[in-house]
Amino acid sequence: MNAHVSPESAVPVSDDNVSEDSWTVAGRTFRSRLIVGTGKYKDYATNAAAAKAAGAEIVTVAVRRVNLTDPTQPLLVDYVKPTEFTFLPNTAGCFTGEDAVRTLRLAREAGGWDLVKLEVLSDPKTLYPDMEETLRSLKLLVAEGFQVMVYCSDDPVYARKLEEAGAVAIMPLGAPIGSGLGIQNRVNLRIIIENAKVPVLVDAGVGTASDAAIGMELGCDAILMNTAIAEAKDPIRMARAMKHAVIAGREAYLAGRMQKRLYADPSSPLAGLI
């Protein structure tokens, strides 16, 4: 279980222990709070360079779309190496529970991966998650011993149901996949974070660095993104920007922001003015 750290309970962070800030999912502990994807890059070499620039420790892989096993074609694992990154197979492109379960069984056979990301989509236009089908698929996967991080809507009720069904992490969307619209519903996201006893990660919708910082300031454990980096004019530079944004957002969350006020409050005391 990953306990969320509130600003009020956080240990003061110095430069010496910033690097010790970590998060844990399914018994695995990571320092980087930025997970990156492996789609839409012009080539695997750029993908690998961006992942390293992001400081990522986890990369998510669309099993149905990325070449993991055909040696006659470029292999992702030759560039983004499983010895350097934790692979998180996902079910991108699946619209039924059966497809999702079948896809992750193949992933387990190909690489032995049991920590996986489940996403079951509702329609090609919005790519919103089909939550009823997602919950059904989760139960099937948990029964087969998978440790499942779940892409979901920003619905606090379904987030609770997913956790009760055995999800090891909740991954609400910030906005539709690939939209780059940024986080649209901060209230729901905050409710999900406050009630979850497993890690909460923003997944989908991040467009630029400030979006990532907002997610972290809300108290998310990590951010997952792909398109925002892959479709940037300079993916490697954007990856570096996202790394710093996630760190800044996390630090701001732990520091605790000042109270908002309706009226001005002088930075210097007004008493004793000549």
Side-chain angles (χ1 to χ4, degrees):
M1 183 177 74
N2 190 69
H4 289 287
V5 179
S6 68
E8 293 77 14
S9 62
V11 174
V13 179
S14 69
D15 289 343
D16 292 334
N17 61 15
V18 163
S19 62
E20 297 175 359
D21 183 38
S22 61
W23 65 289
T24 300
V25 58
R28 298 164 171 89
T29 298
F30 303 94
R31 291 182 176 177
S32 173
R33 294 176 181 272
L34 176 55
I35 300 174
V36 299
T38 52
K40 296 186 175 180
Y41 289 90
K42 66 176 183 180
D43 52 45
Y44 289 148
T46 303
N47 194 164
K52 290 180 180 178
E57 295 174 295
I58 304 175
V59 294
T60 186
V61 179
V63 178
R64 293 158 60 111
R65 296 174 179 165
V66 170
N67 180 27
L68 293 170
T69 57
D70 182 0
T72 65
Q73 301 294 323
L75 286 163
L76 172 68
V77 294
D78 288 338
Y79 296 85
V80 183
K81 299 181 183 298
T83 53
E84 298 178 18
F85 299 93
T86 294
F87 272 41
L88 181 66
N90 70 58
T91 58
C94 291
F95 290 85
T96 69
E98 281 68 26
D99 278 353
V101 172
R102 188 181 309 114
T103 298
L104 293 177
R105 285 174 180 160
L106 291 173
R108 185 157 60 182
E109 290 178 8
W113 299 298
D114 60 0
L115 178 64
V116 298
K117 177 193 162 190
L118 171 66
E119 61 179 71
V120 183
L121 305 174
S122 58
D123 66 87
K125 183 175 182 180
T126 68
L127 298 181
Y128 274 124
D130 181 331
M131 291 311 304
E132 183 178 0
E133 193 70 355
T134 297
L135 182 58
R136 187 175 71 87
S137 309
L138 170 63
K139 292 176 180 176
L140 294 172
L141 290 166
V142 169
E144 294 191 16
F146 286 97
Q147 296 172 310
V148 191
M149 303 171 68
V150 186
Y151 170 64
C152 58
S153 63
D154 56 9
D155 179 344
V157 176
Y158 255 115
R160 175 175 50 79
K161 289 182 178 181
L162 294 172
E163 184 173 342
E164 291 172 349
V168 298
I170 305 298
M171 308 177 76
L173 55 81
I177 292 172
S179 68
L181 291 171
I183 296 172
Q184 298 296 298
N185 196 334
R186 301 183 192 187
V187 174
N188 276 20
L189 192 56
R190 186 66 192 164
I191 293 171
I192 291 172
I193 292 167
E194 288 186 356
N195 288 292
K197 295 181 175 60
V198 297
V200 176
L201 298 81
V202 167
D203 182 2
V206 168
T208 190
S210 55
D211 300 331
I214 288 170
M216 295 307 298
E217 288 175 8
L218 289 171
C220 290
D221 293 278
I223 306 282
L224 189 153
M225 66 183 72
N226 183 78
T227 307
I229 296 175
E231 291 193 354
K233 292 180 180 177
D234 184 340
I236 296 170
R237 192 165 198 165
M238 182 60 83
R240 198 160 51 239
M242 293 297 188
K243 171 185 174 180
H244 292 303
V246 167
I247 292 172
R250 175 67 177 173
E251 290 291 281
Y253 172 71
L254 292 175
R257 66 156 295 141
M258 62 165 282
Q259 293 296 317
K260 293 182 179 180
R261 301 185 178 94
L262 183 59
Y263 296 105
D265 184 41
S267 299
S268 302
L270 296 178
L273 292 178
I274 298 174

